[in-house]
Amino acid sequence: EVQLVESGGGSVQAGGSLRLSCAASGLSFADSDMGWYRQAPGNECDLVASISGDGIAWYKASVKGRFTISQDKRENTVYLQMNSLKPEDTAVYYCVAPSLDPPYSGRCPILRTNNYWGQGTQVTVSS
């Protein structure tokens, strides 16, 4: 059984930092890409960052330079370091493996066969 468990969310003031973790069991990040998605109120499910099994990262334009995705294959854990947080980063963040093939729309989680979602972790950034 595949399980993804997120941790590290919380509340910070604008300009602050948080690090999210996604620990996987039943699935190896060395063999699968994964993505961090977020669900903000009134918005659709949005891919924030992704990383391939061989460590190639992609970022949404609005977080590039502020967020860093990384993986620890020994721990089978993927991280999202979020710096210079803004109120518009407020959302529930989910790790998903593998990343969703587009097109997709709607609210997170977007359930598909062979895509696995964590339970979500709330990030709140106050101004």
Side-chain angles (χ1 to χ4, degrees):
E1 181 186 4
V2 175
Q3 279 194 318
L4 304 178
V5 180
E6 298 127 343
S7 59
S11 297
V12 295
Q13 290 192 321
S17 298
L18 287 171
R19 188 175 82 154
L20 307 183
S21 301
C22 176
S25 58
L27 174 150
S28 171
F29 286 138
D31 300 325
S32 173
D33 72 333
M34 72 80 60
W36 285 99
Y37 292 74
R38 67 187 180 189
Q39 179 67 61
N43 290 0
E44 298 214 320
C45 193
D46 191 21
L47 177 63
V48 175
S50 65
I51 188 165
S52 66
D54 54 5
I56 298 173
W58 174 91
Y59 299 95
K60 177 180 175 69
S62 62
V63 308
K64 196 174 292 186
R66 300 189 296 122
F67 290 12
T68 303
I69 189 169
S70 61
Q71 60 187 195
D72 183 332
K73 292 181 181 179
R74 185 176 53 186
E75 298 293 328
N76 211 30
T77 298
V78 174
Y79 303 96
L80 185 68
Q81 177 66 45
M82 305 186 295
N83 298 329
S84 302
L85 282 161
K86 302 176 180 180
E88 52 263 41
D89 295 318
T90 295
V92 178
Y93 285 71
Y94 297 86
C95 63
V96 184
S99 300
L100 296 175
D101 289 327
Y104 57 86
S105 63
R107 296 178 59 82
C108 300
I110 298 172
L111 300 180
R112 293 179 176 174
T113 303
N114 296 328
N115 287 106
Y116 302 95
W117 290 72
Q119 81 281 7
T121 186
Q122 177 71 47
V123 171
T124 302
V125 185
S126 57
S127 58

